[in-house]
Amino acid sequence: MSTQLRKVITDEVQRRHGYKVMEAKIKPVHIANALMRAEHQGVGRMSVLEQLFEATLPKNSLDKRVAAVRSLVDGQRDRWGALGEAADLKSSALMTKVLPLIRTLLGADGAVFGKSPEFSSFSSPTALTVTGDPSDDGAGLFIHRLWGGHDSSQRLEILNLLSRLTNPDKNPADMDDLSALLSPLVDSTRKKLVSPVDSEDLKSGYSPVELALRDAADKLAAYERKLNPNPIASLQRVILLAALSMFMHAASRPRERAGRPERVLLLDASGDHSSPTVTASTRCISQLIGDARLYMASVVADLLAAQSSSWHSDPVSALNGLLQDAGFAPVDDSSSIARRLQDISQEHDDPEEIALEVAEELIRQAEGSSSRGLDGYLRLLGIRSGFLYPAQKNPNKRLNPADRTLEVLVASTIDVDQPPLEYRDFLDLLRQKWAIVVGGRTEDRALLAEIGATVPARALSENSERFLSRLESIGLARRLADSVAVVGLLEANHE
């Protein structure tokens, strides 16, 4: 029943927002693969990569791997030249060095290898190696629609940048080194038309969150144009922004749908586990995660309410109606889940208490042994995009972005076509764009106190100073005379 129920819930989330959140596997590389697939409307023809998979898959027997290498060489002998002419393929450089190296390159930076190339998402800067992997669960299409707008007049420059960087028809002489290395592995590309995502969120105008995320994309595109870095570094930042945009959009669904005030997130720059800013930042993220769990429960309650306005008195009938509408078999009245729902209905008199407890029980059933709801999605995506810390299984996350993530946050906040911003003005924009505070504004302490995160003024001031030092260390801030600091693109040698 858990699989069927999970599908019903996740289909409703996708109908509302354009993406799913219950598969607990999202990575930036999944988003990159799907985003390129949507932009170029195609995937690579990868018969060579399929053979490479067989030749380098550790669980395959040596004989099976050698057979795959022999098939690869026989089919494309001119491609491999002298590498394929070794008398003993088992000990050849092709098998022991070249093919494993190519697999390592494809697997860098969080790539995901499935059972075949078609179900893999590679760390590749070229759309030649784009696959049909559906593991992003709609995230790539959502970002493409967010950046592409409702019509061509609303298309953002960042998509043009993505298109140029990953163009599968690019002349090999104009390719970056990694694309040039990977391009011989793909025979050609084939069209794979991808329909624009449709959802309640994107059917009409943009919400304030979506407008802020589109502006962030514009700012990053301008940053890349001004910086003119190497293509791979530029693409990494574009994809990282896509992942951060997914995080912020998904995190804002509970409060936008319920009309609640915006959550603020305290960025901890203390480097001290016992610092009060660590405690406060952890509280901010915990509340965001808590909102997500409550929101998923409300989604389930709404689905049950659509079956009957009096479903609280007979939640099993409402659940069965929901499952049958989706083409699934109903649950048996004697099953453990049916008995549990009946007990909940009899234990409480308040319909709201019944709704919450029934919905939470069904979410647990749908999630199974994994945290597959919106809360798990946010934890996973936040960690894998370098936004949340620590990366280990410790459930207490705080906002402590990695340097690359911090650069993207700054680059998508500032206007590089204007003079560098005074630090205080930058903090105002960071709060507006990403809901992030660091303690450098007089109002930060009051904002945190409103959510129960009381931090001494001195600790916030010290946190702000350390954050400024981090910006200096990555070349995006400078302290001037008279205690003035500025933030902006101050160096031309960023990579």
Side-chain angles (χ1 to χ4, degrees):
M1 194 271 289
S2 61
T3 301
Q4 293 87 342
L5 183 57
R6 184 163 65 249
K7 185 179 187 308
V8 171
I9 298 170
T10 202
D11 284 351
E12 172 63 12
V13 172
Q14 187 172 38
R15 185 191 69 80
R16 293 183 180 199
H17 309 310
Y19 47 86
K20 302 177 182 179
V21 299
M22 294 196 71
E23 297 308 317
K25 59 189 175 186
I26 189 72
K27 283 187 172 185
V29 70
H30 290 138
I31 299 174
N33 185 67
L35 186 55
M36 287 190 280
R37 185 170 64 233
E39 176 59 23
H40 296 289
Q41 296 283 298
V43 296
R45 296 181 187 273
M46 299 185 222
S47 58
V48 176
L49 273 181
E50 289 174 2
Q51 293 167 329
L52 185 146
F53 256 55
E54 289 293 311
T56 57
L57 192 62
K59 71 176 184 180
N60 283 348
S61 67
L62 179 59
D63 288 344
K64 188 172 184 178
R65 283 184 279 137
V66 170
V69 175
R70 184 169 290 113
S71 176
L72 183 149
V73 170
D74 289 344
Q76 299 283 342
R77 191 165 293 277
D78 58 332
R79 175 175 286 168
W80 301 105
L83 286 170
E85 296 176 1
D88 182 10
L89 281 179
K90 287 183 182 180
S91 58
S92 68
L94 180 61
M95 183 160 184
T96 61
K97 295 181 180 179
V98 176
L99 296 182
L101 175 60
I102 293 173
R103 186 181 179 105
T104 299
L105 291 172
L106 285 169
D109 206 18
V112 179
F113 288 95
K115 59 185 179 182
S116 71
E118 184 65 13
F119 295 98
S120 303
S121 289
F122 302 125
S123 290
S124 168
T126 173
L128 285 168
T129 54
V130 164
T131 74
D133 186 9
S135 298
D136 70 300
D137 288 320
L141 263 181
F142 174 82
I143 292 296
H144 194 267
R145 176 65 179 274
L146 178 68
W147 290 351
H150 298 286
D151 56 59
S152 59
S153 66
Q154 296 178 326
R155 180 180 167 95
L156 301 182
E157 177 58 29
I158 198 167
L159 282 182
N160 298 332
L161 172 63
L162 175 74
S163 184
R164 292 192 301 272
L165 290 171
T166 61
N167 183 3
D169 300 321
K170 192 181 295 185
N171 187 315
D174 299 325
M175 288 180 176
D176 61 87
D177 293 345
L178 184 53
S179 295
L181 175 66
L182 297 176
S183 61
L185 303 178
V186 182
D187 298 324
S188 62
T189 59
R190 62 179 174 85
K191 281 293 182 184
K192 186 178 179 66
L193 298 180
V194 181
S195 302
V197 66
D198 195 15
S199 67
E200 284 185 356
D201 283 351
L202 293 177
K203 275 184 178 177
S204 54
Y206 299 109
S207 71
V209 169
E210 289 155 2
L211 286 172
L213 294 176
R214 278 174 59 86
D215 184 68
D218 266 342
K219 293 292 193 299
L220 182 67
Y223 179 86
E224 299 300 334
R225 184 175 62 248
K226 191 92 168 181
L227 191 62
N228 194 26
N230 74 65
I232 294 178
S234 188
L235 181 60
Q236 286 174 333
R237 283 189 288 267
V238 170
I239 298 308
L240 191 47
L241 179 67
L244 292 173
S245 297
M246 276 305 309
F247 179 92
M248 293 305 294
H249 191 271
S252 65
R253 296 310 85 204
R255 63 104 175 161
E256 272 204 352
R257 286 276 168 157
R260 295 176 183 150
E262 182 182 33
R263 293 290 193 189
V264 294
L265 306 176
L266 175 62
L267 189 153
D268 169 52
S270 68
D272 179 0
H273 294 296
S274 61
S275 168
T277 59
V278 168
T279 303
S281 181
T282 301
R283 184 178 182 87
C284 290
I285 300 303
S286 295
Q287 289 185 336
L288 204 69
I289 299 299
D291 289 347
R293 283 203 70 81
L294 287 175
Y295 177 66
M296 290 300 290
S298 76
V299 170
V300 174
D302 289 346
L303 287 170
L304 295 172
Q307 294 293 317
S308 168
S309 59
S310 59
W311 71 269
H312 311 84
S313 60
D314 190 1
V316 177
S317 293
L319 171 61
N320 283 335
L322 188 61
L323 291 172
Q324 289 175 311
D325 285 351
F328 299 123
V331 299
D332 190 276
D333 285 345
S334 62
S335 65
S336 59
I337 182 60
R339 293 198 305 271
R340 177 62 188 136
L341 297 187
Q342 290 163 353
D343 288 345
I344 293 171
S345 179
Q346 294 167 6
E347 287 169 2
H348 303 283
D349 295 324
D350 186 349
E352 290 188 5
E353 290 183 1
I354 295 173
L356 179 60
E357 197 163 336
V358 166
E360 288 182 338
E361 180 61 38
L362 291 178
I363 287 289
R364 283 192 289 272
Q365 291 288 327
E367 289 180 350
S369 60
S370 302
S371 181
R372 294 175 179 266
L374 179 57
D375 57 325
Y377 188 87
L378 293 177
R379 282 195 193 93
L380 203 59
L381 189 54
I383 291 167
R384 289 175 171 175
S385 59
F387 193 62
L388 300 184
Y389 180 87
Q392 294 82 7
K393 291 185 177 181
N394 184 340
N396 299 317
K397 308 301 181 188
R398 63 184 185 273
L399 177 53
N400 186 355
D403 282 353
R404 185 192 296 179
T405 304
L406 182 56
E407 181 186 7
V408 171
L409 290 170
V410 175
S412 61
T413 299
I414 61 176
D415 185 345
V416 294
D417 294 322
Q418 298 296 321
L421 282 170
E422 285 198 22
Y423 180 54
R424 178 61 167 76
D425 294 332
F426 164 73
L427 294 182
D428 284 337
L429 289 178
L430 191 64
R431 162 72 175 83
Q432 294 167 23
K433 185 71 60 68
W434 294 104
I436 293 173
V437 298
V438 298
R441 309 178 314 151
T442 55
E443 58 267 45
D444 287 353
R445 190 181 183 204
L447 285 172
L448 293 168
E450 287 177 7
I451 61 170
T454 303
V455 186
R458 181 175 178 178
L460 287 175
S461 178
E462 291 173 349
N463 192 65
S464 178
E465 282 296 307
R466 282 188 291 267
F467 177 64
L468 178 57
S469 295
R470 278 198 67 189
L471 294 182
E472 284 186 290
S473 72
I474 60 175
L476 289 172
R478 181 179 298 145
R479 297 176 197 261
L480 306 177
D482 302 323
S483 300
V484 174
V486 294
V487 179
L489 184 54
L490 305 171
E491 297 179 5
N493 60 348
H494 268 59
E495 291 273 337

